[in-house]
Structures are given as structure tokens and as C-alpha cells.
């Protein structure tokens, strides 16, 4: 069960840049640590409310979402790369009979754009995105919905995540989680909640093979 942003697609820097561009007219900034801690892995609606409150903006959340979509579309039109090992690991999992799922906080339209741009939209046996649930990570709702679609138990699944919020959501769902860090390496207390920490997706096939021996 894969997160998308920062795990399969190298889109987290794009999202952070979008927030920075959005805040420029207000003479405000957002650090990488602020983005990772408060906004990464959250739905657009949740991020709208948080940003408006945190930065004391007199703004309709719908206007925030619309402007962020416009800014992101500009950046996505330039192309966003897949993370190292994405195609290799998806092909390996299919060849070895694994069910593959996507559990992302991105809204449906954004998720489709990113997957279709790389031709990987049809490899998933189940997809849960931000249009399917109310509470974003670290709430486990996205993962709980996804395992229902897969018709599997938590202990039969494995989550691949890149963020602190993802680790917390996986832990709350009682699903084992492998961390592949992206923008930031989580604190040690969160690393202790993971099953393993890998450097890239390239390492996942050998890790799974070793576990199944």
C-alpha cells in the first residue's frame, strides 16, 4: 500500500513551492519544517483551514484551493519525475503476485494527473484518495478505507510511506509501515514505529524476498 507524493512521485518539493508562491503576496513564508510537520500528507481542504488559521489570512478556503491548483498546474506542466525505483518495484510486485494499492491524501483530479502522466494509473488493485475520506493523516482513515477495498486484514498489508504523518497514520491503523524518507528524516521516536527504513524503492523487492524466505 503506497503513499503517492514523495514515495512514488517526486512531487513534495512542488507542493512546498506552491505554498511558498501562494504566501508571497501576503509577505509571509513557510519553512520546509513547517510544511513537513503541518501540511504534508493532508487533504487540500484540511491544508486550507490550517494555513488560513496559522497565517491569520482573511480568505475563503475555496479561494485558497483554487489558487493552489492553478499554481500547481503551472509547475506540473513542466513535468514531475517519478521517485527512484518506482517502475521497477511496481513491475516486480505485479510479477510476484502482490496486490498493489494506493492510499493518498491527494484529490482525485490531481492524483489522476500525476499517475496518468507516467502511465501507472492502472497498476493498482485499490485506490483511496482525498475525495474518499474526511480526516487526513495522521488520522488512519485513508488506510482503513484502503484495506476494506482490498478485503484484507491490517496484518496482511504493508504500507510504504515517506513522512511523519504517514508513520503515525499507519501505526494508528495497526498496519506495518516501511519508511523511505523524502524531505525529512523523522525523529527517532517515530522511526521506532516503523518495520524498516530503506533508502529507496529499489531496496523493497530484496527486503520482501528476504522476509518471505
Amino acid at each position: 500500500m503506497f503513499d503517492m507524493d514523495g514515495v512514488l512521485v517526486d512531487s513534495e518539493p512542488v507542493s512546498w513551492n506552491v505554498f511558498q508562491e501562494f504566501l508571497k503576496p501576503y509577505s509571509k513564508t513557510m519553512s520546509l519544517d513547517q510544511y513537513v510537520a503541518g501540511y504534508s500528507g493532508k487533504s487540500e481542504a484540511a491544508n486550507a483551514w490550517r494555513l488560513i488559521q496559522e497565517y491569520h489570512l482573511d480568505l475563503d478556503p475555496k479561494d485558497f484551493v483554487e489558487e493552489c491548483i492553478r499554481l500547481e498546474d503551472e509547475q506540473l506542466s513542466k513535468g514531475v519525475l517519478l521517485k527512484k525505483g518506482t517502475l521497477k518495484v511496481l513491475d516486480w510486485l505485479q510479477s510476484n503476485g502482490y496486490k498493489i494499492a494506493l492510499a493518498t491524501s491527494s484529490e482525485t483530479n490531481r492524483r489522476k494527473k500525476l499517475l496518468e502522466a507516467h502511465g501507472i494509473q492502472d497498476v493498482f488493485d485499490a485506490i483511496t484518495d482525498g475525495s474518499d475520506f474526511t480526516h487526513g493523516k495522521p488520522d488512519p482513515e485513508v488506510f482503513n478505507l484502503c484495506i476494506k477495498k482490498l478485503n484484507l486484514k491490517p496484518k496482511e498489508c504493508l504500507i510504504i510511506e515517506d513522512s511523519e504523518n504517514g508513520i503515525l497514520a499507519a501505526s494508528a491503523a495497526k498496519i506495518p509501515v516501511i519508511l523511505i524518507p523524502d524531505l525529512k528524516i523523522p525523529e527517532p521516536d517515530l522511526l521506532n514505529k516503523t518495520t524498516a527504513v530503506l533508502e529507496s524503492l529499489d531496496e523493497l523487492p530484496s527486503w520482501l524476498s528476504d522476509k518471505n524466505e
Side-chain angles (χ1 to χ4, degrees):
M1 192 183 306
F2 291 93
D3 177 37
M4 183 177 72
D5 296 290
V7 175
L8 297 178
V9 183
D10 195 17
S11 50
E12 287 285 26
V14 172
S15 298
W16 179 38
N17 286 335
V18 165
F19 279 93
Q20 291 176 301
E21 287 298 315
F22 180 86
L23 289 169
K24 275 184 180 180
Y26 300 95
S27 300
K28 297 179 184 294
T29 61
M30 177 183 291
S31 70
L32 178 59
D33 284 344
Q34 280 178 294
Y35 171 75
V36 171
Y39 298 89
S40 177
K42 303 291 184 63
S43 68
E44 292 172 352
N47 280 340
W49 282 108
R50 183 182 180 95
L51 183 137
I52 288 169
Q53 293 175 356
E54 183 173 352
Y55 288 88
H56 308 291
L57 303 179
D58 183 14
L59 186 69
D60 188 314
K62 291 182 180 179
D63 293 335
F64 164 81
V65 172
E66 289 176 1
E67 179 63 7
C68 282
I69 289 173
R70 186 190 69 78
L71 290 169
E72 186 173 63
D73 282 346
E74 287 182 359
Q75 298 203 30
L76 293 181
S77 67
K78 302 172 186 176
V80 178
L81 298 175
L82 293 175
K83 295 292 287 187
K84 182 175 182 288
T86 293
L87 295 179
K88 173 184 173 182
V89 77
L90 292 176
D91 181 66
W92 186 90
L93 291 169
Q94 284 186 310
S95 299
N96 286 271
Y98 285 88
K99 286 188 175 182
I100 307 173
L102 185 74
T104 175
S105 297
S106 289
E107 301 296 327
T108 301
N109 288 339
R110 180 179 185 275
R111 183 259 301 170
K112 286 183 176 180
K113 286 179 190 176
L114 288 170
L115 297 185
E116 289 173 359
H118 295 284
I120 57 173
Q121 68 274 15
D122 296 325
V123 306
F124 301 100
D125 298 286
I127 293 177
T128 301
D129 63 31
S131 301
D132 296 322
F133 59 88
T134 304
H135 304 99
K137 303 169 188 174
D139 190 281
E141 186 177 7
V142 58
F143 295 134
N144 290 335
L145 288 173
C146 203
I147 62 174
K148 286 182 180 178
K149 291 183 179 182
L150 290 168
N151 195 30
L152 294 172
K153 298 176 181 178
K155 65 181 180 180
E156 297 174 312
C157 299
L158 178 66
I159 291 170
I160 313 300
E161 265 286 354
D162 68 301
S163 69
E164 295 179 347
N165 284 328
I167 294 172
L168 290 170
S171 179
K174 296 180 169 41
I175 303 174
V177 57
I178 286 179
L179 177 74
I180 302 177
D182 184 32
L183 295 180
K184 178 185 176 184
I185 297 176
E187 297 298 322
D189 61 324
L190 290 175
L191 292 178
N192 290 335
K193 295 179 181 291
T194 67
T195 297
V197 179
L198 306 180
E199 290 189 5
S200 75
L201 287 170
D202 280 332
E203 298 179 6
L204 185 59
S206 60
W207 186 90
L208 289 170
S209 296
D210 290 343
K211 292 293 288 185
N212 291 330
E213 287 182 356

